[in-house]
Amino acid sequence: MPTYIVLTKWTDQGVKNAKDAVQRMHQFRSDLERRGCKLSSSYWTQGQHDTVTIVEAPDEQTGMAALLALGSLGNVHTETLRAYNETEMEAIIQKM
C-alpha cells in the first residue's frame, strides 16, 4: 500500500475549532478506515505545520479522495508527500 506523510496547517476555521482537534482526528481515522486506508500515526506539532500524519492507502486514487474529503471540511490545508519504505526504495534504485 502506498504510504503518505500528510502535513497540515489549520485554517482560521480550524483554529477557531481547536478544542475539537482530537475529535476531528478520530473522524479522519474513521473516514480513512471506511475507505480501506490506515492512519498509522498522527502528531500535533509546533512550527510550520500543525499536524503530521502517516497514512497508508490501497491505491493513489483512494488516498487522494480521502485527502480531498478532509480538505473539503475547511479545517486544514494539506501538503502530501509520497513516502517510500526501504524495499520500495531498493526497487527504485534497481531501475536506475
Side-chain angles (χ1 to χ4, degrees):
M1 285 206 306
T3 301
Y4 300 93
I5 298 169
V6 182
L7 308 172
T8 67
K9 194 168 198 68
W10 288 349
T11 61
D12 289 343
Q13 174 181 309
V15 172
K16 287 178 188 175
N17 297 318
K19 290 181 180 180
D20 300 332
V22 174
Q23 181 59 33
R24 289 196 313 253
M25 190 64 76
H26 290 302
Q27 290 168 343
F28 181 47
R29 181 187 307 271
S30 294
D31 183 62
L32 287 170
E33 290 172 356
R34 181 181 63 77
R35 296 171 188 276
C37 301
K38 178 184 175 188
L39 192 154
S40 298
S41 57
S42 58
Y43 303 93
W44 285 266
T45 57
Q46 296 175 327
Q48 186 175 357
H49 297 95
D50 296 306
T51 67
V52 175
T53 306
I54 311 299
V55 174
E56 296 177 24
D59 54 66
E60 291 181 353
Q61 293 83 7
T62 303
M64 182 68 161
L67 293 170
L68 286 171
L70 173 65
S72 73
L73 298 174
N75 292 304
V76 295
H77 295 292
T78 63
E79 180 179 347
T80 306
L81 309 170
R82 172 63 163 94
Y84 298 91
N85 64 29
E86 184 177 335
T87 303
E88 292 169 321
M89 193 60 195
E90 287 175 343
I92 290 166
I93 291 169
Q94 291 299 316
K95 294 181 180 189
M96 290 177 66

